[in-house]
Amino acid sequence: MPYTTNDIKAIESKWQKYWEKHRSFRAAAAPNKPKYYVLEMFPYPSGKIHMGHVRNYTIADVIARYKMMQGFNVLHPIGYDAFGQPAENAAIKNKTNPADWTYKCIAQMHDELKKMGFSYDWDRELSTCDAEYYKWNQWIFLKMFERGLAYKKASSVNWCPDCETTLANEEVINGACWRCKTVVVQKDLEQWYLKITQYAPALLDDLQKLEQWPSRVRLMQENWIGKSYGVEIYFKVKDSKETISVFTTRADTIFGATYVVLAPEHPLVKKLVAGTPQAKETLAFIEKTTNKSKSLRMSGDQRKEGVFTGRHAVNPVNNEAIPIYIGDYVLMEYGTGAIMAVPTHDQRDFEFAKEHKLPMRIVIQDPKNPGITVEKMTKAFEEEGILVNSGSFDQTPNVEAKKNIAEWMQDQGFGKMSVHWRLRDWLISRQRYWGTPIPIIYCEACGQVPVPWRQLPVELPKDVEITGEGGSPLARSRGFVECTCPKCNKPARRETDTMATFFDSSWYFLRFCSARNNDEIFDAKDAAYWMPVDQYIGGIEHAILHLLYSRFFTKFFKDLGLITMDEPFVRLLTQGMVLKEGEVMSKSRGNTVDPDEVLSRYGADTLRLFILFAAPPEDQLEWNDSGLEGSWRFLNRVYQMVEKRYSSTVIQAPSSVIRSSTPVILSPKGEESHPDPTLERERNKAIKSVTQSFEEGYKFNTAISHMMVLANAIDKAKTNVDAAIETLVLLLAPFVPHVAEEMWQMMEKTEASIAHAAWPVFDEAALKTAVITMAVQVNGKVRGQIQVAPDTAQDELRKLALADPGVAKYAQDAAIKKFIVVPNKLISIVVA
RNA sequence: GGGCGGGUGGCGGAACUGGUAUACGCGCAGGACUUAAAAUCCUGUGGCCGUAAGGUCAUGAGGGUUCAAUUCCCUCCCCGCCCACCA
């Protein structure tokens, strides 16, 4: 009797209740038991889960359940990344409070996750917007403040006009806000930063330890941190006491420098142009450029604008006086904010030089085009070549010269070798309400005063109206702002900015180790046992942001002596996107499939199975309704197989359901003593293949196909199938936990729940066959097949192969030049 | 512009270390059951030629190495993602 939607609903809710009642997935540290920490990137609680969540968490759940069956002590927690702007936007729209809205969403989300049957330890569930959680954000901030790692500075920052808040560099994507896509502008503001740059070397070097991360994520982080070796070269300004320091990675081209360019924001600019005829024009240019949005200014193939300052600089290597320009293509934030321009060997300089008719000089000869002149160049030559016009360095390959010239300049005092990083400090202040208050008090007499430990948490006031306008909402709460200085007891005011929400998610994996501990951020013993996270799963979009910040926090905690490991995530899996009709499923595109609808029609197990079967976890997944139907069919088939065999304890289907007319044949249990060797081989093969699919990179799609093969073999065998069915149910358990539990119960096994039954093991000997099929090729083409005993001798193989009629046709009368045997697989005969 | 992935039937995707390409599923076609349909079950299913046996061509295109190439090498085309005036 095929089960129905109602049957499946009954089965799923029955087992969900069972797991809840028995707290089946509660984890407790057990120092003598091997642990496994599986974690998915926790969700923002929007209230409804989407297919991306379902995919992410299903992958994690299968891994968690598999490891449980393998005997690991598994920690698999869940929580909510609950601070952030959507709650504020919703509050404005619905005239509610962000807290009320968020907690309502969390409750909904919680129910949806339960309906998927995920094996979470619900006792550790947490929300970052709980004061008992964000209290520790403040604690961390103060620890950083104490060590000078959290500091406030005025600078030009990224500002999203739509969100009305500042953004970190990592949050600016193509010059636009990562959340709302509004073009980001620059603003001069005093803001809080975390000194992540102090950890730049460790963050870079330790990427090597992350062998089990996708290499592209490591590469993306490497590029983001952006270490480059080069030389800072000092150019004296002619007729002045000033010196311009430029940074270059191309010391080999120093003899080709024909001008110097400063960023418009460079502090020296105003001093240099003062009193020159060019002063007015220069200042106007600076005004114009700095008002331009950063994204516009940085967009690639733009005309390079700039002006001459009227001053000259002296190239230390040849004492040439070269003009000093200001150009919009030079960025103040990188290097020294000044460059030496070598138009012949740098495309950007080349374009600028053409635009402004500046001189050029070739210093690296193109081996493919040795006679070329400056006039004939159409673009910069940026490849390897031999140095010319470079004094005593002439005729050296430029790669070699790079090092030699750098050392020589350093010896001569012309410059010093240095390293520059692309990574900037992390701007964490946000002018928003729904986040962790930054625990700082401003006192006229004492300055920035940290909130004393025992006063934590600094709680978010509830009486703030959220309007979405007019700066930090907290500034409008007098009760919040007005306070007394902890040092001198005089009236003072609180910081009204809140922390970026990425702060919250940078350490939640540690909190999960002791989620209910209110005396400490986490228990050192618990963290030592559970950490690091063995398997982390989430989207590639966090390749830089969240993963880099989490690594930074982990290193900081290690320096505090709280933990001993220096990397938080041993193994990372970045799951692919869910597409529909070739496009990413998203609300804005309106092409989403609601997991709830699928759930109410097919149940969680079918959804889980389909999602895992349709594509390897890292690849994109194309949604397909008939594929879903196929998964339903497969589960149904297996269920009937078990039901037929073990009858009685079946969920009673509603009477309205028309039952199949075929009578169920009840066979007495325990009658089998000699399993069919073919089926036994298939059974062992399935265990081996499914286990391998897990161990070799979580190829769930092939794992499922192997289970299907076993199901097909059971169907074919008809009798003596008990052992094979049992194996199939066990293999299915991590994937489709509810149906597996139900089938397990029908089979009346001793373990009450299959979730903690042992993962099956295979017998290598059972995989052997008495007869194997070998393909026979003649001149590279398969012409026949022969059945032989394993490891048959060559002579025998030769005889048998040539006796095959198909082979004989091509090889019989010909002279055999070669006879190649791939043991137990293939024979290749080469004839003249 | 730079970097990293990819390109296999009508579709999602398999293929160990170079060893019988297309596992498994979807879809499709035919059949069984049914008054009929749904569901279920059985059979077939890369293209071309052939009644068949069989032959032949196929893993983005072209070349190479090899007894043997989806896999290794060279040239090129296309798609996706990330970074991008970083000196």
Side-chain angles (χ1 to χ4, degrees), chain A residues 536-557:
Chain A
Y536 199 34
I537 302 137
I540 186 77
E541 67 273 19
H542 292 110
I544 295 170
L545 290 154
H546 162 62
L547 290 169
L548 189 67
Y549 297 151
S550 298
R551 296 182 59 225
F552 162 44
F553 271 45
T554 301
K555 290 178 191 306
F556 173 66
F557 289 148

PDB file of all heavy atoms in Angstrom, chain A residues 536-557:
ATOM      1  N   TYR A 536      32.133  23.055   8.823  1.00  0.00           N
ATOM      2  CA  TYR A 536      31.331  24.271   8.751  1.00  0.00           C
ATOM      3  C   TYR A 536      30.706  24.321   7.361  1.00  0.00           C
ATOM      4  O   TYR A 536      31.357  23.954   6.379  1.00  0.00           O
ATOM      5  CB  TYR A 536      32.235  25.481   8.971  1.00  0.00           C
ATOM      6  CG  TYR A 536      31.508  26.754   9.361  1.00  0.00           C
ATOM      7  CD1 TYR A 536      30.366  26.720  10.153  1.00  0.00           C
ATOM      8  CD2 TYR A 536      31.981  28.003   8.948  1.00  0.00           C
ATOM      9  CE1 TYR A 536      29.719  27.881  10.524  1.00  0.00           C
ATOM     10  CE2 TYR A 536      31.349  29.175   9.323  1.00  0.00           C
ATOM     11  CZ  TYR A 536      30.213  29.110  10.110  1.00  0.00           C
ATOM     12  OH  TYR A 536      29.579  30.274  10.477  1.00  0.00           O
ATOM     13  N   ILE A 537      29.447  24.738   7.307  1.00  0.00           N
ATOM     14  CA  ILE A 537      28.739  24.732   6.027  1.00  0.00           C
ATOM     15  C   ILE A 537      27.990  26.038   5.832  1.00  0.00           C
ATOM     16  O   ILE A 537      27.265  26.499   6.721  1.00  0.00           O
ATOM     17  CB  ILE A 537      27.736  23.558   5.957  1.00  0.00           C
ATOM     18  CG1 ILE A 537      28.486  22.242   6.154  1.00  0.00           C
ATOM     19  CG2 ILE A 537      26.992  23.535   4.625  1.00  0.00           C
ATOM     20  CD1 ILE A 537      27.802  21.294   7.057  1.00  0.00           C
ATOM     21  N   GLY A 538      28.162  26.628   4.673  1.00  0.00           N
ATOM     22  CA  GLY A 538      27.454  27.872   4.400  1.00  0.00           C
ATOM     23  C   GLY A 538      27.705  28.344   2.990  1.00  0.00           C
ATOM     24  O   GLY A 538      28.361  27.658   2.199  1.00  0.00           O
ATOM     25  N   GLY A 539      27.199  29.506   2.688  1.00  0.00           N
ATOM     26  CA  GLY A 539      27.282  30.026   1.329  1.00  0.00           C
ATOM     27  C   GLY A 539      28.624  30.669   1.033  1.00  0.00           C
ATOM     28  O   GLY A 539      29.295  31.184   1.916  1.00  0.00           O
ATOM     29  N   ILE A 540      28.977  30.659  -0.231  1.00  0.00           N
ATOM     30  CA  ILE A 540      30.244  31.236  -0.695  1.00  0.00           C
ATOM     31  C   ILE A 540      30.269  32.753  -0.491  1.00  0.00           C
ATOM     32  O   ILE A 540      31.327  33.362  -0.422  1.00  0.00           O
ATOM     33  CB  ILE A 540      30.483  30.870  -2.178  1.00  0.00           C
ATOM     34  CG1 ILE A 540      31.854  31.322  -2.685  1.00  0.00           C
ATOM     35  CG2 ILE A 540      29.405  31.475  -3.086  1.00  0.00           C
ATOM     36  CD1 ILE A 540      32.972  30.442  -2.231  1.00  0.00           C
ATOM     37  N   GLU A 541      29.079  33.357  -0.377  1.00  0.00           N
ATOM     38  CA  GLU A 541      29.043  34.821  -0.221  1.00  0.00           C
ATOM     39  C   GLU A 541      29.741  35.282   1.060  1.00  0.00           C
ATOM     40  O   GLU A 541      30.058  36.448   1.208  1.00  0.00           O
ATOM     41  CB  GLU A 541      27.595  35.330  -0.261  1.00  0.00           C
ATOM     42  CG  GLU A 541      26.706  34.906   0.900  1.00  0.00           C
ATOM     43  CD  GLU A 541      26.019  33.555   0.685  1.00  0.00           C
ATOM     44  OE1 GLU A 541      26.493  32.778  -0.176  1.00  0.00           O
ATOM     45  OE2 GLU A 541      25.031  33.281   1.389  1.00  0.00           O
ATOM     46  N   HIS A 542      30.005  34.350   1.967  1.00  0.00           N
ATOM     47  CA  HIS A 542      30.710  34.738   3.187  1.00  0.00           C
ATOM     48  C   HIS A 542      32.194  34.436   3.129  1.00  0.00           C
ATOM     49  O   HIS A 542      32.879  34.486   4.148  1.00  0.00           O
ATOM     50  CB  HIS A 542      30.082  34.046   4.393  1.00  0.00           C
ATOM     51  CG  HIS A 542      28.706  34.550   4.683  1.00  0.00           C
ATOM     52  ND1 HIS A 542      27.578  33.790   4.470  1.00  0.00           N
ATOM     53  CD2 HIS A 542      28.274  35.750   5.108  1.00  0.00           C
ATOM     54  CE1 HIS A 542      26.517  34.512   4.780  1.00  0.00           C
ATOM     55  NE2 HIS A 542      26.899  35.706   5.167  1.00  0.00           N
ATOM     56  N   ALA A 543      32.673  34.135   1.934  1.00  0.00           N
ATOM     57  CA  ALA A 543      34.069  33.729   1.773  1.00  0.00           C
ATOM     58  C   ALA A 543      35.036  34.734   2.401  1.00  0.00           C
ATOM     59  O   ALA A 543      36.067  34.353   2.932  1.00  0.00           O
ATOM     60  CB  ALA A 543      34.396  33.551   0.301  1.00  0.00           C
ATOM     61  N   ILE A 544      34.714  36.001   2.326  1.00  0.00           N
ATOM     62  CA  ILE A 544      35.610  36.992   2.905  1.00  0.00           C
ATOM     63  C   ILE A 544      35.054  37.491   4.229  1.00  0.00           C
ATOM     64  O   ILE A 544      35.615  37.211   5.274  1.00  0.00           O
ATOM     65  CB  ILE A 544      35.857  38.140   1.920  1.00  0.00           C
ATOM     66  CG1 ILE A 544      36.599  37.603   0.691  1.00  0.00           C
ATOM     67  CG2 ILE A 544      36.670  39.238   2.584  1.00  0.00           C
ATOM     68  CD1 ILE A 544      36.686  38.568  -0.450  1.00  0.00           C
ATOM     69  N   LEU A 545      33.957  38.197   4.176  1.00  0.00           N
ATOM     70  CA  LEU A 545      33.397  38.836   5.373  1.00  0.00           C
ATOM     71  C   LEU A 545      33.432  37.985   6.643  1.00  0.00           C
ATOM     72  O   LEU A 545      34.322  38.092   7.472  1.00  0.00           O
ATOM     73  CB  LEU A 545      31.935  39.203   5.088  1.00  0.00           C
ATOM     74  CG  LEU A 545      31.661  40.321   4.095  1.00  0.00           C
ATOM     75  CD1 LEU A 545      30.302  40.130   3.471  1.00  0.00           C
ATOM     76  CD2 LEU A 545      31.729  41.645   4.808  1.00  0.00           C
ATOM     77  N   HIS A 546      32.425  37.161   6.773  1.00  0.00           N
ATOM     78  CA  HIS A 546      32.222  36.425   8.012  1.00  0.00           C
ATOM     79  C   HIS A 546      33.379  35.483   8.341  1.00  0.00           C
ATOM     80  O   HIS A 546      33.790  35.370   9.496  1.00  0.00           O
ATOM     81  CB  HIS A 546      30.899  35.658   7.909  1.00  0.00           C
ATOM     82  CG  HIS A 546      30.757  34.567   8.895  1.00  0.00           C
ATOM     83  ND1 HIS A 546      30.751  34.809  10.249  1.00  0.00           N
ATOM     84  CD2 HIS A 546      30.639  33.226   8.753  1.00  0.00           C
ATOM     85  CE1 HIS A 546      30.621  33.650  10.882  1.00  0.00           C
ATOM     86  NE2 HIS A 546      30.553  32.687   9.995  1.00  0.00           N
ATOM     87  N   LEU A 547      33.898  34.829   7.339  1.00  0.00           N
ATOM     88  CA  LEU A 547      34.951  33.853   7.610  1.00  0.00           C
ATOM     89  C   LEU A 547      36.264  34.523   8.020  1.00  0.00           C
ATOM     90  O   LEU A 547      36.997  33.993   8.844  1.00  0.00           O
ATOM     91  CB  LEU A 547      35.163  32.948   6.393  1.00  0.00           C
ATOM     92  CG  LEU A 547      34.010  31.986   6.118  1.00  0.00           C
ATOM     93  CD1 LEU A 547      34.172  31.322   4.767  1.00  0.00           C
ATOM     94  CD2 LEU A 547      33.912  30.937   7.218  1.00  0.00           C
ATOM     95  N   LEU A 548      36.521  35.680   7.465  1.00  0.00           N
ATOM     96  CA  LEU A 548      37.739  36.396   7.843  1.00  0.00           C
ATOM     97  C   LEU A 548      37.606  36.963   9.257  1.00  0.00           C
ATOM     98  O   LEU A 548      38.498  36.846  10.091  1.00  0.00           O
ATOM     99  CB  LEU A 548      38.007  37.520   6.840  1.00  0.00           C
ATOM    100  CG  LEU A 548      39.362  38.217   6.974  1.00  0.00           C
ATOM    101  CD1 LEU A 548      40.491  37.263   6.622  1.00  0.00           C
ATOM    102  CD2 LEU A 548      39.426  39.451   6.088  1.00  0.00           C
ATOM    103  N   TYR A 549      36.459  37.547   9.545  1.00  0.00           N
ATOM    104  CA  TYR A 549      36.229  38.108  10.883  1.00  0.00           C
ATOM    105  C   TYR A 549      36.280  37.027  11.960  1.00  0.00           C
ATOM    106  O   TYR A 549      36.821  37.230  13.046  1.00  0.00           O
ATOM    107  CB  TYR A 549      34.858  38.798  10.934  1.00  0.00           C
ATOM    108  CG  TYR A 549      34.692  39.991  10.021  1.00  0.00           C
ATOM    109  CD1 TYR A 549      33.443  40.319   9.510  1.00  0.00           C
ATOM    110  CD2 TYR A 549      35.760  40.812   9.683  1.00  0.00           C
ATOM    111  CE1 TYR A 549      33.256  41.425   8.680  1.00  0.00           C
ATOM    112  CE2 TYR A 549      35.594  41.911   8.850  1.00  0.00           C
ATOM    113  CZ  TYR A 549      34.334  42.208   8.355  1.00  0.00           C
ATOM    114  OH  TYR A 549      34.154  43.301   7.539  1.00  0.00           O
ATOM    115  N   SER A 550      35.702  35.862  11.657  1.00  0.00           N
ATOM    116  CA  SER A 550      35.702  34.769  12.636  1.00  0.00           C
ATOM    117  C   SER A 550      37.120  34.278  12.905  1.00  0.00           C
ATOM    118  O   SER A 550      37.466  33.931  14.029  1.00  0.00           O
ATOM    119  CB  SER A 550      34.857  33.599  12.132  1.00  0.00           C
ATOM    120  OG  SER A 550      33.522  34.003  11.975  1.00  0.00           O
ATOM    121  N   ARG A 551      37.905  34.260  11.869  1.00  0.00           N
ATOM    122  CA  ARG A 551      39.302  33.849  12.041  1.00  0.00           C
ATOM    123  C   ARG A 551      40.043  34.867  12.902  1.00  0.00           C
ATOM    124  O   ARG A 551      40.845  34.503  13.761  1.00  0.00           O
ATOM    125  CB  ARG A 551      39.981  33.712  10.668  1.00  0.00           C
ATOM    126  CG  ARG A 551      39.381  32.604   9.800  1.00  0.00           C
ATOM    127  CD  ARG A 551      40.125  32.469   8.476  1.00  0.00           C
ATOM    128  NE  ARG A 551      41.525  32.171   8.698  1.00  0.00           N
ATOM    129  CZ  ARG A 551      42.532  32.752   8.058  1.00  0.00           C
ATOM    130  NH1 ARG A 551      42.295  33.654   7.131  1.00  0.00           N
ATOM    131  NH2 ARG A 551      43.769  32.427   8.335  1.00  0.00           N
ATOM    132  N   PHE A 552      39.762  36.133  12.671  1.00  0.00           N
ATOM    133  CA  PHE A 552      40.365  37.221  13.446  1.00  0.00           C
ATOM    134  C   PHE A 552      39.994  37.077  14.927  1.00  0.00           C
ATOM    135  O   PHE A 552      40.870  37.098  15.809  1.00  0.00           O
ATOM    136  CB  PHE A 552      39.883  38.550  12.844  1.00  0.00           C
ATOM    137  CG  PHE A 552      40.027  39.775  13.705  1.00  0.00           C
ATOM    138  CD1 PHE A 552      41.189  40.027  14.431  1.00  0.00           C
ATOM    139  CD2 PHE A 552      38.999  40.720  13.765  1.00  0.00           C
ATOM    140  CE1 PHE A 552      41.310  41.178  15.207  1.00  0.00           C
ATOM    141  CE2 PHE A 552      39.115  41.863  14.530  1.00  0.00           C
ATOM    142  CZ  PHE A 552      40.265  42.097  15.267  1.00  0.00           C
ATOM    143  N   PHE A 553      38.710  36.892  15.215  1.00  0.00           N
ATOM    144  CA  PHE A 553      38.276  36.773  16.611  1.00  0.00           C
ATOM    145  C   PHE A 553      38.918  35.567  17.298  1.00  0.00           C
ATOM    146  O   PHE A 553      39.324  35.639  18.444  1.00  0.00           O
ATOM    147  CB  PHE A 553      36.741  36.659  16.683  1.00  0.00           C
ATOM    148  CG  PHE A 553      36.049  38.000  16.771  1.00  0.00           C
ATOM    149  CD1 PHE A 553      36.413  39.049  15.952  1.00  0.00           C
ATOM    150  CD2 PHE A 553      35.013  38.202  17.684  1.00  0.00           C
ATOM    151  CE1 PHE A 553      35.769  40.287  16.030  1.00  0.00           C
ATOM    152  CE2 PHE A 553      34.369  39.437  17.772  1.00  0.00           C
ATOM    153  CZ  PHE A 553      34.743  40.477  16.941  1.00  0.00           C
ATOM    154  N   THR A 554      38.990  34.477  16.555  1.00  0.00           N
ATOM    155  CA  THR A 554      39.573  33.266  17.125  1.00  0.00           C
ATOM    156  C   THR A 554      41.027  33.524  17.534  1.00  0.00           C
ATOM    157  O   THR A 554      41.460  33.126  18.617  1.00  0.00           O
ATOM    158  CB  THR A 554      39.494  32.111  16.107  1.00  0.00           C
ATOM    159  OG1 THR A 554      38.113  31.907  15.785  1.00  0.00           O
ATOM    160  CG2 THR A 554      40.083  30.830  16.664  1.00  0.00           C
ATOM    161  N   LYS A 555      41.748  34.219  16.673  1.00  0.00           N
ATOM    162  CA  LYS A 555      43.138  34.518  16.982  1.00  0.00           C
ATOM    163  C   LYS A 555      43.244  35.452  18.186  1.00  0.00           C
ATOM    164  O   LYS A 555      44.137  35.317  19.025  1.00  0.00           O
ATOM    165  CB  LYS A 555      43.838  35.121  15.760  1.00  0.00           C
ATOM    166  CG  LYS A 555      44.018  34.064  14.683  1.00  0.00           C
ATOM    167  CD  LYS A 555      44.649  34.582  13.428  1.00  0.00           C
ATOM    168  CE  LYS A 555      44.547  33.552  12.320  1.00  0.00           C
ATOM    169  NZ  LYS A 555      45.084  32.228  12.688  1.00  0.00           N
ATOM    170  N   PHE A 556      42.298  36.377  18.262  1.00  0.00           N
ATOM    171  CA  PHE A 556      42.291  37.287  19.399  1.00  0.00           C
ATOM    172  C   PHE A 556      42.008  36.516  20.699  1.00  0.00           C
ATOM    173  O   PHE A 556      42.672  36.720  21.715  1.00  0.00           O
ATOM    174  CB  PHE A 556      41.233  38.387  19.184  1.00  0.00           C
ATOM    175  CG  PHE A 556      41.034  39.271  20.382  1.00  0.00           C
ATOM    176  CD1 PHE A 556      42.058  40.103  20.826  1.00  0.00           C
ATOM    177  CD2 PHE A 556      39.834  39.270  21.071  1.00  0.00           C
ATOM    178  CE1 PHE A 556      41.876  40.922  21.942  1.00  0.00           C
ATOM    179  CE2 PHE A 556      39.641  40.078  22.180  1.00  0.00           C
ATOM    180  CZ  PHE A 556      40.669  40.900  22.619  1.00  0.00           C
ATOM    181  N   PHE A 557      41.046  35.603  20.659  1.00  0.00           N
ATOM    182  CA  PHE A 557      40.723  34.809  21.850  1.00  0.00           C
ATOM    183  C   PHE A 557      41.911  33.951  22.282  1.00  0.00           C
ATOM    184  O   PHE A 557      42.127  33.723  23.457  1.00  0.00           O
ATOM    185  CB  PHE A 557      39.516  33.902  21.598  1.00  0.00           C
ATOM    186  CG  PHE A 557      38.209  34.652  21.499  1.00  0.00           C
ATOM    187  CD1 PHE A 557      37.194  34.199  20.671  1.00  0.00           C
ATOM    188  CD2 PHE A 557      37.988  35.804  22.239  1.00  0.00           C
ATOM    189  CE1 PHE A 557      35.988  34.876  20.572  1.00  0.00           C
ATOM    190  CE2 PHE A 557      36.784  36.497  22.150  1.00  0.00           C
ATOM    191  CZ  PHE A 557      35.785  36.039  21.313  1.00  0.00           C
TER     192      PHE A 557
END
